[in-house]
Amino acid sequence: MTMAETPASPEVTSAAPRRRSTATDVALVAAFAALIAACTVIGGVPVGGAGVDITLQTFGVLLAGCVLGAARGFLAVVVYLVLGAIGLPVFAGHTGGLSAFTGVSAGYLWSFPVAALLAGFLVQYVFRARRTRAAFVFVAAMAGTALNHACGIVGMKLYLDSTWEQAIKFDAPFWVGDIVKALLVAIVAAEVHRAFPRLLGR
Amino acid sequence: MNPAYLFGVYQPGTTVLHRAWVGAKVGALAVFSLAVVLVRSMPASFGFLAIAVLAAAVARVDLRLLVRSLRPVLVVAVIFAALQWLLYGPVKAAETLVDLLALALAAIVVSSTTPVNAMLDALIRWIRPLRRVGVDPERVALTVGLAIQALPGTVALAIETRDAARARGVRHPRAFLSPFVIRVVARAHETGDALHARGIGDD
C-alpha cells in the first residue's frame, strides 16, 4: 500500500490554532486500536455456563485510556469500534460487523470510549506524576470499569425491558473478572509509564 | 495466526442488497433497531423477525456465516430468555428472544453485503461535517488505515510474546502483558518517527 502524502487542510476556524496531533500520536492511536483487537482475539477465556467469555477486551480498552491519556485513549477505542463496525472480526467471539452493536451487551460496547476517556483523564490530569504507581492507576481503571458497567446496565434494561434491579443482577457476575482486569491494567500501565516517561508529556 | 484476520464478514454477491447504497442500508438498520427496541408486543416481534429473515434471503447470506455470527448472540439470547421465563413468564421470554434474533440478523445482513472498504469510505464521508469542530477526515482515514495494517502484526506480536513467556515457564499474565504492551508502544513510536521522516501527518 502506497502511503500517499496527506494534503494540508486549511484551518476552518479563525480561533487560536489548536494543537494538532503528531504522526506519533496517530501511530499510537492506531497501534492501541490494534492492541485492543489483539487482546480480544487472543485472551478469550470461556467461563463454564456463562454465555459471555471473560476476554481481555475490557483490559485493552482501559489500558488504552490509562496509557495514552484521555483524548488519545478515547480515539483509540473509537477506532477499534470502527474496525469492528466495518466488518473486521475484532469483537469478542471472533465476530465483527454491526450485529455487536445491537445485542444485549451493546451498552457495554457503546460505552467503551467513554470509559477509556474517564480512566485516561484521571491518570493524565488527576494523578499526574503518580501514574507510575499501580495503586493510583488502579483507581482510574476502577472508575472506568464502574462507568462501563453502569452503561451496560442501562443497555440491558432497554433491550430486555426489565427492571433496574434485574438488569443490575444480570450485570453482577462480571464484576469479579473486571476487577482482576483492572488490577492487570494498573500493573501494566504503571510499568509502561516507567518505560516511557514522556508518553503523557510530563 | 488466525486466518480470519484476512477476511471480514463480507460475502461477495450481486443481489439487490449488495448493490444498495451503504448509507441507505445503515440508515435502515438504525431505524429498524429503534423500532424493535421501542415496540413491545408479541406479534410485532415476529413481524420484525420476518423482515430480517426476508432480508437475509434476498441477500443470500451464507449459512455458515450466519451460524458463526449468530452463535454468540444466540447463547446470550437463550440465557436471558430463560431468565425472563423464570421471572416474567413465557410470553416475555419469547418476545425477548425473537427481538434479539431479529436485531442480530438484520445487522449481519448489512455487514455481509457491504465490503470493508465501502463501509470505511462511507464512514469517512459521514464524518466530513465534523470538520468544522476540528475533526480531520483525512487524518481519521490515515489512523484507521494504520490500525488495519497493524492488526496482523500486533496479533503476531501477542502470540510471540505469550509463547516466549510460556517457554520460560512463567504463568503470571503480567509476564506476557507488560512486554507485549511495551513492544506495541515502542513500535508505535518507530512508526510515528517513520511517518514524520516522510512528511506524513504534518499539517
Side-chain angles (χ1 to χ4, degrees):
Chain A
M1 156 179 172
T2 307
M3 191 70 72
E5 180 171 347
T6 50
S9 58
E11 285 288 350
V12 179
T13 59
S14 58
R18 71 181 77 254
R19 171 187 172 270
R20 304 201 69 94
S21 58
T22 64
T24 300
D25 287 333
V26 168
L28 281 165
V29 169
F32 268 78
L35 181 143
I36 300 171
C39 287
T40 305
V41 167
I42 289 200
V45 181
V47 179
V52 182
D53 295 348
I54 292 191
T55 69
L56 289 176
Q57 187 184 45
T58 47
F59 166 86
V61 167
L62 294 173
L63 188 73
C66 293
V67 168
L68 297 182
R72 290 180 304 186
F74 173 86
L75 290 177
V77 180
V78 168
V79 172
Y80 166 70
L81 294 182
V82 167
L83 295 183
I86 64 181
L88 296 175
V90 295
F91 290 148
H94 296 243
T95 58
L98 298 169
S99 56
F101 294 90
T102 60
V104 176
S105 45
Y108 297 94
L109 208 63
W110 285 104
S111 69
F112 278 162
V114 185
L117 180 73
L118 175 60
F121 177 86
L122 293 175
V123 169
Q124 190 172 13
Y125 298 114
V126 175
F127 298 131
R128 293 175 180 269
R130 289 167 295 190
R131 63 179 179 271
T132 55
R133 296 169 58 186
F136 292 95
V137 185
F138 177 70
V139 172
M142 283 305 303
T145 299
L147 180 58
N148 182 236
H149 277 257
C151 295
I153 289 169
V154 172
M156 279 195 288
K157 181 189 183 325
L158 289 177
Y159 277 94
L160 298 173
D161 195 25
S162 63
T163 63
W164 288 110
E165 291 82 358
Q166 287 307 325
I168 292 173
K169 284 177 184 172
F170 292 153
D171 176 75
F174 302 99
W175 270 96
V176 175
D178 277 350
I179 291 175
V180 173
K181 275 177 267 182
L183 279 169
L184 282 178
V185 167
I187 293 170
V188 174
E191 290 186 357
V192 173
H193 284 303
R194 285 195 288 268
F196 298 95
R198 301 181 56 84
L199 201 47
L200 288 181
R202 281 187 186 79
Chain B
M1 197 181 74
N2 188 346
Y5 259 84
L6 304 180
F7 310 100
V9 185
Y10 174 66
Q11 304 257 310
T14 58
T15 70
V16 172
L17 284 175
H18 280 88
R19 296 194 301 265
W21 176 42
V22 176
K25 285 188 279 191
V26 175
L29 177 62
V31 172
F32 184 79
S33 301
L34 271 179
V36 172
V37 172
L38 295 180
V39 176
R40 295 289 175 179
S41 76
M42 192 56 146
S45 295
F46 285 104
F48 290 132
L49 182 60
I51 293 174
V53 170
L54 179 64
V58 169
R60 300 213 188 107
V61 181
D62 182 72
L63 267 182
R64 287 167 300 175
L65 171 67
L66 271 184
V67 170
R68 194 177 82 241
S69 298
L70 281 175
R71 188 191 302 117
V73 179
L74 264 177
V75 173
V76 175
V78 167
I79 290 177
F80 276 110
L83 288 170
Q84 298 272 62
W85 188 299
L86 294 177
L87 296 169
Y88 303 111
V91 172
K92 197 178 181 73
E95 182 197 334
T96 298
L97 184 60
V98 173
D99 277 349
L100 290 173
L101 263 181
L103 285 171
L105 198 51
I108 289 164
V109 168
V110 174
S111 296
S112 63
T113 58
T114 311
V116 168
N117 285 342
M119 190 71 86
L120 184 54
D121 290 341
L123 274 172
I124 300 301
R125 277 200 314 270
W126 296 337
I127 64 170
R128 210 157 266 158
L130 296 182
R131 189 193 292 269
R132 70 200 67 195
V133 297
V135 175
D136 184 352
E138 283 78 25
R139 187 175 298 267
V140 173
L142 171 66
T143 308
V144 176
L146 280 177
I148 293 176
Q149 277 191 90
L151 278 174
T154 306
V155 173
L157 198 61
I159 294 174
E160 182 182 298
T161 310
R162 183 185 64 183
D163 289 348
R166 283 181 180 171
R168 288 178 279 120
V170 190
R171 291 299 180 80
H172 197 286
R174 173 188 189 175
F176 152 56
L177 293 171
S178 287
F180 170 48
V181 177
I182 288 177
R183 290 175 76 184
V184 167
V185 174
R187 180 181 288 195
H189 277 104
E190 290 166 5
T191 304
D193 290 341
L195 289 174
H196 183 68
R198 289 164 177 77
I200 298 173
D202 302 335
D203 291 29

